[in-house]
Coordinates of all heavy atoms in Angstrom, one line a residue:
M279 N -9.3 13.0 7.3 CA -9.4 12.5 5.9 C -9.2 11.1 5.6 O -8.7 10.6 4.6 CB -8.2 13.3 5.2 CG -8.5 14.8 5.1 SD -9.9 15.2 3.9 CE -9.5 17.0 3.6
A280 N -9.5 10.3 6.6 CA -9.2 8.8 6.5 C -10.2 8.4 5.6 O -10.0 7.2 5.0 CB -9.3 8.2 7.9
K281 N -11.4 8.9 5.3 CA -12.3 8.4 4.5 C -12.0 8.6 2.9 O -12.6 8.1 2.1 CB -13.7 9.0 4.7 CG -14.3 8.4 5.9 CD -15.7 9.1 6.1 CE -16.7 8.1 6.7 NZ -18.1 8.8 6.7
D282 N -11.0 9.5 2.8 CA -10.6 10.0 1.5 C -9.8 8.7 0.8 O -8.6 9.2 0.6 CB -9.9 11.3 1.5 CG -10.3 12.1 0.3 OD1 -11.4 12.0 -0.3 OD2 -9.4 12.9 -0.1
K283 N -10.3 7.7 0.6 CA -9.5 6.6 -0.1 C -9.8 6.5 -1.5 O -10.9 6.4 -2.0 CB -9.9 5.4 0.6 CG -9.0 4.1 0.3 CD -9.2 3.0 1.2 CE -10.5 2.5 1.1 NZ -10.7 1.2 1.8
K284 N -8.7 6.4 -2.3 CA -8.9 6.3 -3.7 C -9.1 4.8 -4.1 O -8.6 3.9 -3.4 CB -7.5 6.8 -4.4 CG -7.8 7.0 -5.9 CD -6.5 7.5 -6.5 CE -5.6 6.4 -7.0 NZ -6.4 5.6 -8.2
C285 N -9.8 4.6 -5.2 CA -10.0 3.2 -5.6 C -8.8 2.5 -5.9 O -7.8 3.1 -6.4 CB -10.9 3.3 -7.0 SG -11.2 1.8 -7.7
A286 N -8.8 1.3 -5.5 CA -7.6 0.4 -5.6 C -7.2 0.1 -7.1 O -6.1 -0.5 -7.3 CB -7.6 -0.9 -4.8
H287 N -8.1 0.3 -8.0 CA -7.8 0.1 -9.4 C -6.7 1.0 -9.9 O -6.9 2.2 -9.7 CB -9.1 0.2 -10.3 CG -8.9 -0.3 -11.6 ND1 -7.9 0.2 -12.5 CD2 -9.6 -1.2 -12.3 CE1 -8.0 -0.4 -13.7 NE2 -9.1 -1.3 -13.6
P288 N -5.6 0.4 -10.5 CA -4.4 1.2 -10.8 C -4.8 2.4 -11.8 O -4.3 3.5 -11.6 CB -3.5 0.3 -11.5 CG -3.8 -1.1 -10.9 CD -5.4 -0.9 -10.6
A289 N -5.7 2.1 -12.6 CA -6.0 3.2 -13.6 C -7.3 4.0 -13.2 O -7.8 4.8 -14.1 CB -6.3 2.5 -15.1
C290 N -7.8 3.8 -12.1 CA -9.0 4.5 -11.7 C -8.6 5.7 -10.8 O -7.8 5.7 -10.0 CB -9.9 3.5 -10.9 SG -11.5 4.3 -10.5
N291 N -9.4 6.8 -10.9 CA -9.3 8.0 -10.2 C -10.4 8.2 -9.2 O -10.5 9.3 -8.7 CB -9.1 9.3 -11.1 CG -7.9 9.1 -12.0 OD1 -6.8 8.8 -11.5 ND2 -8.0 9.3 -13.3
C292 N -11.4 7.4 -9.2 CA -12.5 7.5 -8.3 C -12.2 7.3 -6.9 O -11.2 6.7 -6.5 CB -13.6 6.6 -8.8 SG -14.0 6.8 -10.5
Q293 N -13.2 7.7 -6.0 CA -13.1 7.6 -4.6 C -13.6 6.1 -4.4 O -14.7 5.7 -4.9 CB -13.9 8.4 -3.9 CG -13.4 9.9 -4.0 CD -12.2 10.2 -3.1 OE1 -12.2 9.9 -2.0 NE2 -11.2 10.8 -3.7
A294 N -13.0 5.3 -3.5 CA -13.4 4.0 -3.2 C -14.7 4.2 -2.3 O -14.8 5.1 -1.6 CB -12.4 3.3 -2.4
K295 N -15.6 3.2 -2.5 CA -16.8 3.2 -1.7 C -16.4 2.8 -0.3 O -15.5 2.1 0.1 CB -17.8 2.1 -2.3 CG -18.4 2.6 -3.5 CD -19.6 1.7 -3.7 CE -19.1 0.3 -4.2 NZ -20.3 -0.6 -4.6
E296 N -17.3 3.2 0.7 CA -16.9 2.9 2.0 C -17.1 1.4 2.2 O -18.1 0.8 1.8 CB -18.0 3.8 2.9 CG -17.6 3.8 4.4 CD -18.6 4.6 5.2 OE1 -19.2 5.6 4.5 OE2 -18.8 4.4 6.3
G297 N -16.2 0.9 3.0 CA -16.2 -0.5 3.2 C -15.5 -1.3 2.1 O -15.5 -2.6 2.1
S298 N -15.0 -0.6 1.0 CA -14.6 -1.4 -0.1 C -13.2 -0.6 -0.6 O -13.0 0.5 -0.2 CB -15.5 -1.4 -1.2 OG -14.9 -2.0 -2.4
D299 N -12.4 -1.4 -1.2 CA -11.1 -0.8 -1.8 C -11.3 -0.3 -3.1 O -10.5 0.3 -3.7 CB -10.1 -1.8 -1.9 CG -9.5 -2.2 -0.4 OD1 -9.7 -1.4 0.5 OD2 -9.0 -3.3 -0.2
Y300 N -12.5 -0.5 -3.8 CA -12.8 -0.1 -5.0 C -14.1 0.8 -5.1 O -14.8 0.8 -4.2 CB -13.0 -1.3 -6.0 CG -11.8 -2.2 -5.9 CD1 -11.7 -3.3 -5.1 CD2 -10.7 -2.0 -6.8 CE1 -10.6 -4.1 -5.1 CE2 -9.6 -2.8 -6.8 CZ -9.6 -3.8 -5.9 OH -8.4 -4.7 -6.0
C301 N -14.2 1.5 -6.3 CA -15.4 2.4 -6.3 C -16.5 1.7 -6.9 O -17.6 2.2 -6.8 CB -14.9 3.5 -7.2 SG -14.8 3.1 -9.0
S302 N -16.3 0.6 -7.6 CA -17.4 -0.2 -8.3 C -17.2 -1.6 -8.5 O -16.1 -2.1 -8.2 CB -17.6 0.5 -9.5 OG -16.5 0.3 -10.4
N303 N -18.1 -2.4 -8.8 CA -18.0 -3.7 -9.1 C -17.0 -3.9 -10.1 O -16.3 -5.0 -10.2 CB -19.3 -4.4 -9.5 CG -20.1 -4.5 -8.2 OD1 -19.6 -4.7 -7.0 ND2 -21.5 -4.7 -8.4
Y304 N -17.0 -3.1 -11.1 CA -16.1 -3.2 -12.3 C -14.6 -3.1 -11.8 O -13.9 -4.0 -12.3 CB -16.4 -2.0 -13.2 CG -15.2 -2.0 -14.3 CD1 -15.4 -2.8 -15.5 CD2 -14.1 -1.2 -14.2 CE1 -14.4 -2.8 -16.4 CE2 -13.1 -1.2 -15.1 CZ -13.3 -2.1 -16.2 OH -12.3 -2.1 -17.1
C305 N -14.3 -2.2 -11.0 CA -12.9 -2.1 -10.5 C -12.6 -3.3 -9.6 O -11.5 -3.7 -9.6 CB -12.8 -0.8 -9.8 SG -12.8 0.6 -10.8
E306 N -13.6 -3.8 -8.9 CA -13.3 -4.9 -8.0 C -12.9 -6.2 -8.8 O -12.2 -6.9 -8.3 CB -14.5 -5.2 -7.1 CG -14.2 -5.8 -5.8 CD -15.4 -6.0 -4.9 OE1 -16.3 -5.0 -5.0 OE2 -15.5 -6.8 -4.1
T307 N -13.6 -6.2 -9.9 CA -13.3 -7.3 -10.9 C -12.1 -7.2 -11.6 O -11.2 -8.1 -11.8 CB -14.5 -7.5 -11.9 OG1 -15.7 -7.8 -11.2 CG2 -14.3 -8.8 -12.7
A308 N -11.7 -5.8 -12.0 CA -10.6 -5.7 -12.9 C -9.5 -5.2 -12.1 O -8.4 -4.9 -12.6 CB -11.0 -4.6 -13.9
G309 N -9.6 -5.1 -10.8 CA -8.6 -4.5 -10.0 C -7.3 -5.3 -9.9 O -6.2 -4.7 -9.8
G310 N -7.4 -6.5 -10.3 CA -6.1 -7.3 -10.2 C -5.4 -7.2 -11.6 O -4.2 -7.7 -11.6
T311 N -6.0 -6.8 -12.6 CA -5.4 -6.7 -13.9 C -4.8 -5.3 -14.1 O -5.5 -4.4 -13.7 CB -6.4 -7.1 -15.0 OG1 -7.6 -6.2 -14.9 CG2 -6.9 -8.5 -14.9
A312 N -3.7 -5.3 -14.7 CA -3.0 -3.9 -15.1 C -3.6 -3.3 -16.3 O -3.0 -3.4 -17.4 CB -1.5 -4.2 -15.1
E313 N -4.8 -2.7 -16.1 CA -5.4 -2.1 -17.3 C -4.9 -0.7 -17.4 O -4.5 -0.1 -16.5 CB -6.9 -2.1 -17.3 CG -7.6 -3.4 -17.3 CD -9.0 -3.3 -17.3 OE1 -9.5 -2.7 -16.3 OE2 -9.6 -3.8 -18.3
I314 N -4.8 -0.3 -18.6 CA -4.3 1.3 -18.8 C -5.4 2.2 -18.7 O -5.2 3.4 -18.6 CB -3.6 1.4 -20.2 CG1 -4.5 1.0 -21.3 CG2 -2.2 0.5 -20.2 CD1 -3.9 1.2 -22.7
Q315 N -6.7 1.7 -18.8 CA -7.8 2.6 -18.7 C -8.9 2.0 -17.9 O -9.2 0.7 -17.9 CB -8.3 2.9 -20.1 CG -9.4 4.0 -20.1 CD -10.2 4.1 -21.4 OE1 -9.6 3.8 -22.4 NE2 -11.4 4.4 -21.4
C316 N -9.5 2.8 -17.1 CA -10.7 2.4 -16.3 C -11.9 2.5 -17.0 O -12.2 3.5 -17.6 CB -10.7 3.1 -15.0 SG -12.0 2.6 -13.9
N317 N -12.9 1.5 -17.0 CA -14.1 1.7 -17.6 C -15.3 1.5 -16.6 O -16.3 0.9 -16.9 CB -14.2 0.5 -18.6 CG -13.3 0.8 -19.8 OD1 -13.4 1.9 -20.4 ND2 -12.5 -0.1 -20.1
C318 N -15.1 2.0 -15.4 CA -16.1 1.8 -14.4 C -17.3 2.6 -14.7 O -18.3 2.4 -14.1 CB -15.5 2.2 -13.1 SG -15.2 4.0 -12.7
G319 N -17.2 3.6 -15.5 CA -18.4 4.4 -15.9 C -18.6 5.7 -15.1 O -19.5 6.5 -15.4
H320 N -17.7 5.9 -14.2 CA -17.9 7.2 -13.4 C -17.3 8.3 -14.2 O -16.4 8.1 -14.9 CB -17.1 7.0 -12.1 CG -17.7 6.1 -11.1 ND1 -17.0 5.1 -10.4 CD2 -19.0 6.0 -10.8 CE1 -17.9 4.4 -9.7 NE2 -19.1 5.0 -9.8
P321 N -17.8 9.5 -14.0 CA -17.4 10.6 -14.8 C -15.9 11.0 -14.6 O -15.4 11.4 -15.6 CB -18.2 11.8 -14.1 CG -19.4 11.2 -13.6 CD -18.9 9.8 -13.1
D322 N -15.3 10.7 -13.6 CA -13.9 11.0 -13.4 C -13.1 10.0 -14.3 O -11.9 10.4 -14.6 CB -13.5 10.7 -11.9 CG -14.0 11.7 -11.0 OD1 -14.4 12.9 -11.6 OD2 -13.9 11.6 -9.8
C323 N -13.6 8.9 -14.8 CA -12.8 8.0 -15.5 C -13.2 8.0 -17.1 O -12.5 7.4 -17.9 CB -13.0 6.7 -14.9 SG -12.2 6.4 -13.4
S324 N -14.3 8.6 -17.4 CA -14.7 8.7 -18.8 C -13.9 9.7 -19.6 O -14.5 10.7 -19.9 CB -16.2 8.9 -18.9 OG -16.6 10.0 -18.1
I325 N -12.6 9.5 -19.8 CA -11.9 10.5 -20.3 C -12.0 10.4 -21.9 O -11.7 11.4 -22.6 CB -10.3 10.1 -20.1 CG1 -10.1 8.7 -20.3 CG2 -10.1 10.6 -18.7 CD1 -8.7 8.3 -20.1
R326 N -12.7 9.3 -22.4 CA -12.9 9.3 -23.8 C -14.2 10.1 -24.3 O -14.1 10.6 -25.5 CB -13.1 7.7 -24.2 CG -11.7 7.0 -23.9 CD -11.9 5.6 -24.3 NE -12.0 5.4 -25.8 CZ -12.4 4.2 -26.4 NH1 -12.7 3.2 -25.6 NH2 -12.3 4.1 -27.7
S327 N -15.0 10.1 -23.4 CA -16.3 10.8 -23.9 C -16.4 12.2 -23.3 O -17.5 12.5 -22.7 CB -17.5 9.9 -23.5 OG -17.5 9.7 -22.1
G328 N -15.3 12.9 -23.2 CA -15.4 14.2 -22.6 C -16.0 15.2 -23.6 O -15.5 15.4 -24.6
A329 N -17.1 15.8 -23.1 CA -17.9 16.8 -24.0 C -17.2 18.1 -24.0 O -17.7 19.0 -23.3 CB -19.3 16.9 -23.6
Ligands
ZN597 ZN1 -12.8 4.3 -12.5
ZN598 ZN1 -12.6 2.5 -9.5

């Protein structure tokens, strides 16, 4: 299960991409900031637009 790495963004629940600590460019950019919500656009993180 070594591949099962979570995105390094504190507020992100996505799986990190292979070879990266983050799931997306968004998280890679925002990973250093302590955001309360992730806006990477992945379904796992779009808690506001839950249908
Ligand atoms: Zn996310
Ligand atoms: Zn992420």
